[in-house]
Amino acid sequence: MRGGALPGCRAPAATARGTSGMRPASPRGTSEEEECAVEMIALRRVKAVENMCAGHSPTSNKDHSALLAFRGIPISELKNNSILRALTAEANGWEPDVVSTEVLRAQEEWEAVDNIQPETGSQVSSGEPGQLISFSEALQHFQTVDLSSFKERIQPTIRRTGLAALRHCLFGPPKLHQGLREERDLVLTIAQCGLDSQDPVHGRVLQTIYKKLTGSRFDCALHGDHWEDLGFQGANPATDLRGAGFLALLHLLYLVMDSKTLLMAQEIFRLSQHHIQQFPFCLMSVNITRIAIQALREECLSRECNRQQKVIPVVNRFYAATFLRLAHVWRMQQKTISDSGFVLKDLEALAKKSPRRLLKTLDTYLARASKGQASLLGTQKCSEPQAPHSKDLTFTGVCDLPSHSPKGTRLI
């Protein structure tokens, strides 16, 4: 616009201000700043109308001529123009008269983004969809629901007979204190519970594990091939919890939601995706949980539980320490999936024999990791492309090995 507005909205022509060079008083008694604002709004909207006319072929030249006529009007007189008064009548609510169908469709799609819900194949919605769940919240859920039907199935300790019972009585670990047995029974009861896709808490546990390991911010389906990427054998994680129940998922949740063990979990997960040393991460974790259950039932953890006067934290840390030991052996000894059964067998023997040694190793690792001085992967390159999961890969777990338990021992 000729003689257009400059910064500060000062009129360029003295004739527009009068012979004294001063701005005429506003008929409404408004301040100079308010008049400046009105003028700027008018200029913007004239430009908007001009752009709209340029973008949509006008049916006549009359509207274009009117726009050109505005160019010769001094800024101070623009507010007296009837067309511009109509444009500035509702400064805050003005919208163009013509909105294309493309714009409307795009607006509808954008507004629908917040309402999109993933197809899960089951009901996983909760009061706070998509929110991560902590280990303590998930544990509280099991502490408040009725688990009596599952509790009837548990066998808190291994039944020994004959010489095995005598040897255990004379040389075995101490018995768990009476006040801690209810907490132990809760752990074993949770191990009897399966995954219920209709339970919102169960769904949130799965979603949290998936998000923490993959870095995804979005929910995923509770059934699907994406669970194989995390190391389950199939599209339904519930089928891989044999012998460990929901406790296996609680252990994974503890691993990824505890700030001290999250880095360790992510490193082990990366190791499991190595192009040569790959292994099913979640399935391996389930086997570690089985070892923890057996160690608890055989009273291998009783001394440490009695010392700390807690059961669940000790079992959690024992699980993490055992998983750390497995990852260390797997990396340092260049193990592959074909070695899984033998590695787990040796690991179980060591874990039951020296649980406190494993716990001290975990504490040392976490202390160094917090200072950036420890890494499971070291200088090994684990960032190479992940090998596709092969259906022909055979994973041997603890329950698949020949049992060498003493006579009279009953396993889950």
Side-chain angles (χ1 to χ4, degrees), residues 302-320:
S302 296
R303 180 176 282 106
E304 192 65 23
C305 290
N306 292 341
R307 189 178 70 84
Q308 296 190 27
Q309 286 298 298
K310 297 175 181 177
V311 175
I312 293 176
V314 171
V315 174
N316 287 347
R317 292 179 61 248
F318 176 79
Y319 155 82

Side-chain angles (χ1 to χ4, degrees), residues 56 61 172 191 200 283 289 309 344 386 400 404 411:
H56 301 80
N61 295 329
L283 194 59
T289 297
Q309 286 298 298
L344 286 170
Q386 176 185 356
D400 301 317
H404 298 287
L411 303 179

